[in-house]
Amino acid sequence: MTFGRFFITIISGAVMALGIITGCNRQKRDNNLPLISQFVVDSVYMPIALSDHFKLRVKEVQSRSATDEIVFFVKNNNYSAYFYNMSNSRRVGDTFSLVKYANEYKDSYPLGIDSFMVELEKQLLVISKNRIKKWDVSPITRQISPFAFVGYLSMESMHVFGDTVACITSTEETQEKIGPNAPFLKANYDILIKLLPDTAILLAKHSPNPPYFYKQDYNCNPERVYMNSRQIVYCYSYSDTLVMVNPFNQTEKRVRLRTSYFSPNVPFDYSRESDFKYIDSFYLEQSMMTHLFYDKARHRIYVFLKHKGKHIEESGKKNEMEDLPHSLFVLDEQLHQLKEIYIPPGRFGPVYRAFVTHKGLYLPAARPQQKNYDKTLFYRIVIP
Amino acid sequence: MIKHFFTALLFPSIILIACSCKDKAAVDVNATRFEQLTHNAHLEAKNVRYLIWNSSSCGGCRSISVNLMRSNKTLGNTILIVPLVYANQAFGIKKDRLFVDSSGIFDKLYFGIDNIGIANVEDGKVINIRNYNPDAMDSLKVDIGR
């Protein structure tokens, strides 16, 4: 009897301890990882209000001078395109208004310090001081796939390599239903378009959505970087595997990240897709690959992983993505993992505002450090 | 053996489960937090109804609720709380019925509003707080007209 009592007490203690451990959502920090603060070398202000957004990414203009650091961005609030020299904190050239394209605007890419390409739903434009040249790409997007009922270009980051444009197609959903819409997903392609003087032709296409998306992970996003016109690297929200694809011959290289902070996701419950608390918790309480950047100057790829954490703390504090710790993975161009760097919670602002130039990776400072209404503080990070 | 099973495993489990059943307590906690936030924001009207957006409120829901405020003259005791990022969508609302949360006060603490919501205050006390997700806009229209 005494042994039985002792045994049950031990078992019950173990059950309760297990409950407490599994109930604790936050992972402990791996002290072997270097801290991001070791790699911060500088800070700069960008002339954009904290309450505004850049449309998608800030992109560096390829400059002839190594000291110049000219970036190009479009402001969310007024659809104005700016060239800005970060070396001397001055605007370069004219500001271009894209307001008249607001309804069909997708993305832009700088071609020099006075011209840029604009991606609209069905057109590509090259805009320079006195001239606008147009290419109609709807013949390509309409026929990209039998699943694309109304194909158009998608609001994802585009890239231009000489006369070749890398961008993404999307399509209208064609049916009302709850859950993953396989035709919708199957119609999303990364495409490479060659611009000829009067027409645009399709060079290659690749559908980035893996089969498991069709069943459960409609809410996942593939992030991608175009390393050149033949290599695209993808990361997926709930996968620790990066994929490098050549869209011309569909060859793939898959590399799994080494980390203790990634854990497989729980599939999205589509019966609760109107429940905002559930949706926020879904994104915040699981580990999630968030953003991918390519540092062409250093031949590096940067991948951000948000660690799992709590959406709402016991105190009632509502966490956002930047309130949770992240990992920054540094990989070479063959996807060899070189480093995992720990980013403590609340150290930086939202990663979607980050950008890369030949001088480093820029991450916005956390909101409490942003003291100016009309400009945003960024930290420059250089990882050797 | 069975007695020890009850004392060592089952009773603690029941206590744990009971502690997790805290709906009533959660309502009080939300009300207390909301009172704290209105105090921080210097919104200290005694009898008022707040219509509250947050930075992740859905676009359609914001549109429906602001149109209700614009069109319904009887909503004189309702104050719309909007985060700075959506301040420009609240055009046409009189200044005394609008609070632009430029410091993000109402986004810092969770007080039961996930999408958009209504908090009723009587005699300076929060009577109830109700959240409306996108599929509950019909209920919002009914409740806000009351």
Side-chain angles (χ1 to χ4, degrees):
Chain A
M1 186 65 101
T2 310
F3 174 75
R5 184 179 179 178
F6 174 71
F7 179 73
I8 286 174
T9 306
I10 292 291
I11 292 290
S12 61
V15 166
M16 288 167 73
L18 190 65
I20 290 163
I21 290 164
T22 53
C24 181
N25 232 350
R26 181 162 291 172
Q27 288 170 300
K28 282 192 177 162
R29 193 198 144 192
D30 178 351
N31 287 318
N32 296 321
L33 297 184
L35 274 169
I36 189 77
S37 50
Q38 296 174 23
F39 304 99
V40 174
V41 295
D42 200 358
S43 66
V44 295
Y45 280 103
M46 288 290 282
I48 188 159
L50 191 59
S51 55
D52 291 339
H53 290 267
F54 303 120
K55 282 210 159 288
L56 295 179
R57 299 264 167 92
V58 175
K59 292 164 183 168
E60 186 177 23
V61 180
Q62 297 311 305
S63 168
R64 278 154 289 185
S65 156
T67 52
D68 275 350
E69 190 183 20
I70 300 172
V71 293
F72 169 82
F73 58 87
V74 174
K75 276 189 181 182
N76 209 11
N77 61 341
N78 61 5
Y79 282 89
S80 291
Y82 298 85
F83 289 91
Y84 181 74
N85 191 340
M86 295 175 64
S87 310
N88 59 15
S89 306
R90 289 197 177 155
R91 272 191 203 150
V92 179
D94 295 331
T95 301
F96 297 83
S97 173
L98 302 174
V99 163
K100 66 178 174 180
Y101 305 116
N103 290 338
E104 46 185 343
Y105 178 88
K106 298 299 175 187
D107 194 24
S108 303
Y109 192 89
L111 302 174
I113 55 167
D114 52 7
S115 69
F116 56 100
M117 184 171 285
V118 177
E119 179 190 346
L120 304 178
E121 269 185 15
K122 296 170 185 167
Q123 287 181 317
L124 292 171
L125 317 178
V126 169
I127 298 180
S128 52
K129 215 169 189 178
N130 305 315
R131 199 158 166 255
I132 298 179
K133 187 166 168 50
K134 299 180 181 180
W135 285 266
D136 179 10
V137 294
S138 58
I140 294 172
T141 55
R142 270 204 309 269
Q143 294 169 18
I144 195 78
S145 141
F147 301 106
F149 297 97
V150 186
Y152 50 75
L153 299 179
S154 168
M155 192 172 278
E156 301 279 349
S157 200
M158 70 182 298
H159 209 105
V160 182
F161 303 96
D163 59 0
T164 302
V165 181
C167 50
I168 296 118
T169 64
S170 185
T171 187
E172 292 287 353
E173 292 186 72
T174 56
Q175 45 190 306
E176 289 279 326
K177 61 179 252 183
I178 291 175
N181 188 332
F184 175 60
L185 291 170
K186 284 180 183 170
N188 292 347
Y189 282 86
D190 281 76
I191 57 172
L192 291 160
I193 297 173
K194 188 179 179 69
L195 298 179
L196 301 174
D198 298 317
T199 186
I201 57 169
L202 178 69
L203 292 178
K205 64 178 182 178
H206 174 73
S207 176
N209 300 313
Y212 71 85
F213 267 36
Y214 307 149
K215 293 180 193 153
Q216 67 171 47
D217 272 333
Y218 183 60
N219 278 40
C220 285
N221 283 315
E223 273 275 320
R224 79 267 287 155
V225 288
Y226 302 102
M227 287 175 30
N228 52 51
S229 61
R230 292 189 169 269
Q231 282 178 308
I232 311 172
V233 177
Y234 297 98
C235 80
Y236 298 93
S237 306
Y238 302 113
S239 167
D240 57 352
T241 301
L242 299 186
V243 185
M244 184 192 286
V245 174
N246 179 336
F248 286 89
N249 57 19
Q250 302 296 324
T251 51
E252 281 189 1
K253 180 180 183 182
R254 291 175 169 271
V255 173
R256 195 168 181 188
L257 296 171
R258 298 184 307 276
T259 178
S260 58
Y261 290 116
F262 180 84
S263 43
N265 75 314
V266 177
F268 190 82
D269 178 358
Y270 289 97
S271 67
R272 300 178 67 186
E273 65 181 356
S274 280
D275 181 344
F276 267 46
K277 190 175 183 187
Y278 170 73
I279 294 169
D280 286 344
S281 300
F282 179 82
Y283 289 120
L284 283 160
E285 296 189 353
Q286 308 194 66
S287 56
M288 182 178 176
M289 312 301 294
T290 60
H291 291 87
L292 188 61
F293 295 89
Y294 177 48
D295 184 342
K296 191 162 63 175
R298 288 170 192 76
H299 309 285
R300 295 285 185 263
I301 290 167
Y302 305 127
V303 189
F304 286 86
L305 164 69
K306 179 193 71 65
H307 301 176
K308 65 182 182 181
K310 277 192 168 179
H311 171 209
I312 299 165
E313 305 278 359
E314 294 298 321
S315 62
K317 179 181 175 286
K318 276 165 79 175
N319 282 326
E320 296 185 35
M321 289 283 198
E322 62 257 36
D323 297 321
L324 300 178
H326 285 64
S327 284
L328 167 59
F329 297 94
V330 183
L331 299 96
D332 68 12
E333 288 175 325
Q334 281 71 49
L335 302 187
H336 297 126
Q337 183 175 327
L338 305 175
K339 272 189 180 73
E340 179 183 358
I341 297 166
Y342 183 83
I343 304 177
R347 180 76 174 82
F348 293 103
V351 178
Y352 61 77
R353 291 192 179 191
F355 59 94
V356 173
T357 74
H358 72 279
K359 291 195 174 175
L361 167 68
Y362 288 88
L363 275 171
R367 281 174 213 273
Q369 295 164 33
Q370 302 286 1
K371 305 291 184 197
N372 296 278
Y373 174 73
D374 58 345
K375 53 189 179 181
T376 306
L377 177 67
F378 280 78
Y379 290 114
R380 182 158 68 97
I381 290 153
V382 176
I383 302 158
Chain B
M1 185 80 145
I2 289 170
K3 183 184 162 195
H4 292 312
F5 172 79
F6 274 91
T7 54
L9 180 62
L10 197 58
F11 288 159
S13 303
I14 289 168
I15 290 165
L16 277 177
I17 290 165
C19 290
S20 66
C21 296
K22 50 184 180 184
D23 274 359
K24 176 75 173 70
V27 172
D28 296 341
V29 167
N30 288 336
T32 308
R33 284 178 188 157
F34 187 72
E35 281 168 10
Q36 182 191 331
L37 295 177
T38 51
H39 176 76
N40 293 349
H42 306 291
L43 285 170
E44 293 178 274
K46 294 286 180 199
N47 294 292
V48 68
R49 174 167 52 188
Y50 294 105
L51 176 59
I52 305 143
W53 298 353
N54 64 38
S55 55
S56 57
S57 299
C58 91
C61 308
R62 296 195 310 267
S63 175
I64 288 169
S65 55
V66 78
N67 283 338
L68 283 169
M69 282 206 57
R70 286 191 193 115
S71 61
N72 196 335
K73 301 276 187 269
T74 63
L75 299 180
N77 71 332
T78 305
I79 292 177
L80 176 63
I81 297 176
V82 299
L84 182 62
V85 65
Y86 297 138
N88 59 351
Q89 293 180 18
F91 63 88
I93 305 292
K94 285 183 183 170
K95 272 186 178 177
D96 59 344
R97 294 171 63 195
L98 179 67
F99 177 77
V100 177
D101 184 14
S102 51
S103 311
I105 293 169
F106 289 90
D107 254 334
K108 285 173 184 161
L109 274 186
Y110 182 77
F111 51 90
I113 307 290
D114 304 315
N115 181 36
I116 64 175
I118 292 176
N120 285 303
V121 177
E122 285 177 18
D123 295 330
K125 286 279 165 203
V126 176
I127 304 301
N128 55 42
I129 297 177
R130 188 162 174 202
N131 174 60
Y132 299 84
N133 279 324
D135 55 355
M137 286 301 107
D138 287 342
S139 308
L140 174 77
K141 288 174 190 170
V142 172
D143 292 354
I144 208 167
R146 280 181 185 157

